[in-house]
Amino acid sequence: MVFTSRILFFATKLPKEEKPMRKFLRTGFLDNLRIHVKAGHGGSGLPKYGGKGGRGGNVFIQASKYYTLKATDRLIRARKLEAKPGMNSTARGLIGTVGDDLIIKVPTGVVAHDENGIVIGEVNEPMSRLKIADGGVGGCKETNYCGKRGQARTIILDLKLISDIAVVGFPNAGKSTLLKAISRASPKVAEYPFTTVRPNIGIMGFKDLRKITVGDLPGLIEGAHQNVGMGYKFLKHIERSKMILFVVDIQGFQLSPKHVYRNFLETIVLLNKEIELYNPDLIDMPAMLLINKMDTPGAEDTLKSLYSKVENLKNHLDEFPEEIRPDNIVKFLDIYKVSMQNMRHDEKELLKYRIRNALDKCTSEEEFENMGAEPVFKLIEQMKKNSEKVTPLLV
């Protein structure tokens, strides 16, 4: 009896097993990395002969299109990020050898900040380099022949995705379904309401070998600009895109019974407002609007009654509550209604070319030459004629 009591006593003292970390937090998308780097110190000079020590190695980050921040983190983990020191001046070599630089490979689109949040620079093109720590000066007459210490600092690497199109919308609007329909990406989609928790990148391919990258960002909610939900963390990815693709649910959106229901027109205005509050310059970016779930009950009647306001939001701002009213209204290059859940292959292809067409409207002739592509206005008209039954276009 005593023995059993002791077992029970110690069993109550055992620490409770911790719940495993949720999968998306354990293996999820990484777009921010904090590292500590140290440049090489300068070599000592030789006073007797006036010899000069070698400069310490610098620390650089170098962009590569084959890297992710997660890969960078995995490669540098448990490593001392130090550049090599400069060699001392000797009687046989009066000028010391310069220390080897340390080069850290990162994905394109990385912005480097110091620990005070001051931007050091960014690398947006493959093979481009940015110096993030200076090597120490080699010992010479001006330094009393003493080598100087290399710069040691903490650096924050902040990734901003570089995609042609950024897809934004409220949770469950159909953004992931869109990405799955127009590319080979396989984001999670489901019948129940949920939102993407990390960005997904898909590539739209075309017969003329043109490729367009599409970024599906986590759903925004009211207050995203103040870091409510996951919005602020991922709104930064819009900045590097060429066009914003708004996806809205024709039935509107309500986050929970505690929140206010917003009709589909109010969701457009709210998305406009949240992006404007985050960065007013983003409102001037080219944009396209997709009105989704047109196969739901009453969708056509709802759209017919509100479509004139969609085209002229600026003239109807007084009808919206003041707290969601933006100062500037986004201008849509194209408005298209879809039912992405039940799209046929020809409808998906037409949607791809419609998106491409909108993107091409904001693409310069010089960029077209670099891509080796042509605008697709005529191709869209041909596809509309060849398709037996396609989703009606709003023009």
Side-chain angles (χ1 to χ4, degrees):
M1 184 68 181
V2 174
F3 180 72
T4 306
S5 300
R6 286 181 177 178
I7 292 176
L8 292 173
F9 173 77
F10 285 110
T12 59
K13 296 293 184 180
L14 292 175
K16 293 182 179 179
E17 185 179 351
E18 294 184 2
K19 292 182 179 180
M21 187 182 293
R22 293 174 69 184
K23 186 176 180 182
F24 78 86
L25 293 174
R26 184 170 67 249
T27 61
F29 178 80
L30 183 66
D31 64 352
N32 192 274
L33 184 61
R34 185 185 182 92
I35 61 175
H36 185 78
V37 297
K38 184 178 180 181
H41 59 76
S44 299
L46 191 62
K48 184 176 181 180
Y49 299 108
K52 184 177 180 179
R55 176 187 56 79
N58 300 313
V59 181
F60 293 89
I61 57 172
Q62 178 176 299
S64 171
K65 62 180 179 180
Y66 303 109
Y67 267 68
T68 63
L69 265 191
K70 200 164 190 176
T72 300
D73 183 38
R74 186 170 60 249
L75 290 173
I76 67 176
R77 191 175 296 169
R79 279 184 55 198
K80 289 186 177 180
L81 301 179
E82 297 182 6
K84 297 295 183 181
M87 299 299 291
N88 296 331
S89 172
T90 65
R92 294 185 177 182
L94 292 180
I95 299 179
T97 306
V98 174
D100 292 335
D101 296 328
L102 172 66
I103 300 172
I104 304 170
K105 291 189 177 181
V106 299
T108 54
V110 161
V111 181
H113 304 258
D114 65 12
E115 52 189 340
N116 296 317
I118 298 174
V119 176
I120 300 169
E122 53 191 52
V123 285
N124 295 324
E125 299 293 334
M127 301 305 292
S128 58
R129 284 188 184 182
L130 173 68
K131 189 187 337 182
I132 57 175
D134 289 310
V137 176
C140 56
K141 185 176 181 181
E142 289 77 10
T143 64
N144 201 23
Y145 296 99
C146 295
K148 296 296 183 180
R149 289 180 179 272
Q151 192 176 18
R153 63 196 311 196
T154 298
I155 301 294
I156 292 90
L157 302 178
D158 194 25
L159 174 64
K160 295 182 180 179
L161 295 177
I162 300 177
S163 62
D164 295 311
I165 299 170
V167 182
V168 298
F170 285 100
N172 209 39
K175 302 185 303 301
S176 297
T177 306
L178 167 69
L179 190 67
K180 193 172 183 178
I182 63 177
S183 75
R184 293 186 178 180
S186 54
K188 179 181 177 182
V189 295
E191 297 295 332
Y192 57 89
F194 79 102
T195 188
T196 302
V197 294
R198 59 179 179 267
N200 291 300
I201 295 290
I203 299 176
M204 289 197 303
F206 297 88
K207 292 181 180 179
D208 62 354
L209 304 183
R210 171 87 177 273
K211 292 183 178 180
I212 296 175
T213 54
V214 182
D216 168 26
L217 305 186
L220 304 179
I221 61 174
E222 292 186 53
H225 69 283
Q226 296 176 326
N227 213 20
V228 176
M230 304 183 74
Y232 184 83
K233 181 178 174 63
F234 296 114
L235 274 169
K236 64 182 181 181
H237 295 302
I238 301 176
E239 297 176 10
R240 301 293 179 83
S241 302
K242 297 177 182 177
M243 186 178 83
I244 304 176
L245 182 59
F246 288 74
V247 180
V248 298
D249 187 341
I250 187 63
Q251 300 296 347
F253 174 72
Q254 186 175 20
L255 184 63
S256 74
K258 297 179 181 179
H259 292 78
V260 178
Y261 166 78
R262 304 292 188 185
N263 65 35
F264 103 94
L265 198 59
E266 289 175 328
T267 61
I268 299 172
V269 175
L270 265 171
L271 288 171
N272 192 147
K273 179 72 171 179
E274 291 298 332
I275 293 173
E276 180 185 67
L277 289 173
Y278 172 75
N279 184 349
D281 294 337
L282 296 180
I283 296 301
D284 296 327
M285 286 181 62
M288 178 179 174
L289 175 64
L290 283 185
I291 304 172
N292 191 24
K293 304 188 182 180
M294 290 301 299
D295 54 345
T296 53
E300 290 291 345
D301 292 336
T302 301
L303 183 58
K304 187 180 292 185
S305 63
L306 296 175
Y307 183 68
S308 60
K309 294 183 180 181
V310 176
E311 291 186 304
N312 300 287
L313 278 176
K314 190 174 182 180
N315 298 331
H316 297 277
L317 281 182
D318 294 340
E319 300 177 19
F320 300 100
E322 189 173 349
E323 65 270 15
I324 71 170
R325 205 180 297 165
D327 294 327
N328 296 307
I329 294 294
V330 65
K331 295 178 182 178
F332 295 116
L333 295 170
D334 194 6
I335 301 172
Y336 190 29
K337 63 177 184 179
V338 292
S339 303
M340 283 182 284
Q341 192 67 37
N342 302 306
M343 293 179 71
R344 300 192 313 273
H345 176 72
D346 58 343
E347 293 174 331
K348 292 177 182 179
E349 288 298 307
L350 183 56
L351 174 59
K352 285 169 57 177
Y353 279 99
R354 190 80 181 215
I355 294 171
R356 174 177 171 175
N357 186 28
L359 180 64
D360 287 352
K361 288 179 181 178
C362 56
T363 303
S364 66
E365 292 183 8
E366 183 179 349
E367 288 177 297
F368 272 125
E369 292 175 2
N370 294 336
M371 291 185 295
E374 295 292 337
V376 293
F377 304 104
K378 294 182 179 179
L379 189 51
I380 288 178
E381 293 301 321
Q382 187 63 40
M383 290 186 67
K384 286 163 62 178
K385 291 178 183 178
N386 295 340
S387 180
E388 296 178 1
K389 181 182 178 183
V390 296
T391 306
L393 303 178
L394 297 177
V395 293

